[in-house]
Amino acid sequence: MMAANNLPREVEAEQIFGMAEKEMEYRVEFFNKLTHTCFNKCVEKKYKEGELYMGENTCIDRCVSKYQQVTNIIGQMLANGGRPM
């Protein structure tokens, strides 16, 4: 009888772990896409120095900010059935 009572808790724990795993996969994918997109857009292909130029830094800051804003807007639209907020 005790094993039957623990089954819902085990299933719930597995679901929580699965959701956490999916969240981590999403965050890694988000970071990788953001890095790839902003790097390709903002960083010159021929490296002249080891540090980023001021213009590259500014571009990356703006790119990351816009990427996050757009991702948030899309997430809100998906949560609201495709309607913009």
Side-chain angles (χ1 to χ4, degrees):
M1 280 298 210
M2 292 294 282
N5 289 338
N6 288 334
L7 186 59
R9 289 183 189 165
E10 289 175 16
V11 170
E12 186 175 313
E14 286 179 23
Q15 289 174 337
I16 291 170
F17 182 75
M19 289 175 15
E21 206 170 35
K22 289 288 183 193
E23 178 70 16
M24 182 60 88
E25 289 172 7
Y26 165 77
R27 290 183 182 272
V28 168
E29 181 181 1
F30 174 83
F31 177 79
N32 288 338
K33 285 182 178 179
L34 172 110
T35 303
H36 179 76
T37 299
C38 293
F39 181 85
N40 286 338
K41 179 181 179 186
C42 298
V43 178
E44 289 190 31
K45 305 305 178 234
K46 294 183 180 180
Y47 301 116
K48 297 175 185 168
E49 296 189 23
E51 302 293 322
L52 295 173
Y53 295 111
M54 178 67 85
E56 291 171 329
N57 272 323
T58 302
C59 180
I60 289 171
D61 287 342
R62 289 181 180 160
C63 181
V64 168
S65 178
K66 287 180 182 180
Y67 197 96
Q68 289 176 326
Q69 287 175 352
V70 168
T71 301
N72 289 338
I73 290 169
I74 291 170
Q76 290 172 357
M77 289 177 68
L78 290 173
N80 292 325
R83 295 182 306 275
M85 293 193 65

